Amino acid sequence: MVTLRGKSLAALTPIGEHTDMENLIVSNDPEFRALIERSRSLYKPGTGLTTEDVRRRFIAKRSGTPKARRRG
């Protein structure tokens, strides 16, 4: 804990092996946090998409069907 004149100013926590600066910054942004809270209030638990659903619906559409490799 970092203090200034006896009052808490900041807490130091280690950045994990799988954490990058972008995720750390975005996850602590007040506007981003407000967006997440709004989304949570609109979409109740169990009504969203799973990661697999997202992959199936969006990534597969974007990349199209894999094409066979030609041998030359």
Side-chain angles (χ1 to χ4, degrees):
M1 183 66 68
V2 178
T3 60
L4 180 63
R5 297 184 188 104
K7 293 188 178 187
S8 298
L9 180 65
L12 299 178
T13 60
I15 296 176
E17 182 178 327
H18 301 290
T19 303
D20 59 36
M21 282 303 290
E22 182 179 9
N23 285 338
L24 185 64
I25 292 167
V26 169
S27 67
N28 287 296
D29 179 71
E31 290 180 31
F32 179 76
R33 293 177 71 87
L35 172 70
I36 296 299
E37 290 305 315
R38 280 195 307 273
S39 295
R40 287 181 176 156
S41 69
L42 292 172
Y43 302 101
K44 301 304 174 200
T47 62
L49 298 173
T50 65
T51 303
E52 195 54 42
D53 288 338
V54 171
R55 285 187 181 119
R56 247 183 280 140
R57 291 181 184 196
F58 300 106
I59 296 172
K61 271 186 189 178
R62 195 179 85 205
S63 63
T65 307
K67 296 179 181 175
R69 286 184 171 177
R70 286 187 178 182
R71 293 182 182 209

